[in-house]
Amino acid sequence: MKATIYITLKNGVLDPQGKAIENALGQLGFDGVNSVRQGKLIEMDLADTDASAAESRLQEMCEKLLANTVIENFDIRLSDTE
Amino acid sequence: MKATIYITLKNGVLDPQGKAIENALGQLGFDGVNSVRQGKLIEMDLADTDASAAESRLQEMCEKLLANTVIENFDIRLSDTE
C-alpha cells in the first residue's frame, strides 16, 4: 500500500522559505503571485494491507516523528498499488 | 486561483532524507515501511483567472526556479477559490 503524507505549516505560522520563493518569483518577473507557502510531502510503501490500520499507524508516525503538530498540519492519502 | 506544486525526486536519485526517515521510523518500532521518499510542496495564490495561462506560467516557474529538473519531477494542481 502506498501512502503520501502532506505536511503544511498552520495558518498564522511565519514561513520565511515561502516568502523567499515569493520574492524570487517577483524578481524573475512573475507577478500576481501571493501567499506562497512551502510544505513537505513524504511518500512511502507500507506492508499493511488493511487501509484503516495503515491510516492509524500513519497518524501515529506523523504525531511522533514526521510532523511538528505545534506548527504543522498533516494530511494522509492512501492508495492501493495492487 | 490556488495552485499547489508537488516536487518529488526522480526515480533512481538517492534520497538521504527519505532514508533517514525510514531508519528513524524503524527505530521507533514502525515496521513494514519501505522506500520512503521526501519531496516538497509549494502552495500559492495566483492573480490569473485563466487556468491554462496559469498552468503554463506555473510550468515556467518550476523550470526556472522551483524545481531542479535534472533530478526532480514536478506536478501542478490548480483549484479555483472563487
Side-chain angles (χ1 to χ4, degrees):
Chain A
M1 187 170 287
K2 236 186 117 170
T4 310
I5 301 160
Y6 303 98
I7 299 170
T8 47
L9 283 172
K10 288 184 179 174
N11 282 336
V13 177
L14 281 181
D15 181 3
Q17 218 169 350
K19 209 71 201 162
I21 294 171
E22 196 174 319
N23 293 341
L25 285 173
Q27 279 163 22
L28 285 174
F30 296 104
D31 43 10
V33 179
N34 293 307
S35 47
V36 180
R37 309 278 284 170
Q38 174 162 356
K40 286 183 283 192
L41 72 90
I42 297 169
E43 296 171 321
M44 56 178 78
D45 276 329
L46 291 170
D48 306 57
T49 48
D50 177 41
S52 71
E55 185 143 359
S56 73
R57 245 158 57 96
L58 284 164
Q59 183 120 11
E60 214 186 319
M61 288 180 206
C62 286
E63 283 162 3
K64 282 200 181 160
L65 179 76
L66 303 176
N68 176 355
T69 53
V70 177
I71 56 166
E72 291 171 329
N73 290 321
F74 58 87
D75 184 23
I76 294 164
R77 301 279 164 82
L78 283 171
S79 59
D80 269 316
T81 42
E82 290 153 280
Chain B
M1 185 169 287
K2 237 187 114 167
T4 310
I5 301 160
Y6 302 98
I7 299 169
T8 48
L9 282 172
K10 288 185 178 172
N11 282 337
V13 178
L14 281 180
D15 181 4
Q17 218 170 352
K19 208 72 200 160
I21 294 171
E22 195 174 321
N23 293 341
L25 285 173
Q27 278 162 23
L28 285 174
F30 295 104
D31 43 10
V33 179
N34 293 307
S35 47
V36 180
R37 309 279 284 171
Q38 175 162 353
K40 286 183 283 190
L41 74 90
I42 297 169
E43 296 170 321
M44 57 178 77
D45 276 329
L46 291 171
D48 305 58
T49 47
D50 177 41
S52 71
E55 185 143 357
S56 74
R57 243 158 58 95
L58 284 164
Q59 183 119 10
E60 213 185 320
M61 287 180 206
C62 286
E63 283 162 4
K64 280 201 181 160
L65 180 77
L66 304 175
N68 176 354
T69 53
V70 178
I71 57 167
E72 290 171 330
N73 290 322
F74 58 87
D75 185 22
I76 294 164
R77 301 279 165 81
L78 283 172
S79 58
D80 268 317
T81 43
E82 291 154 279

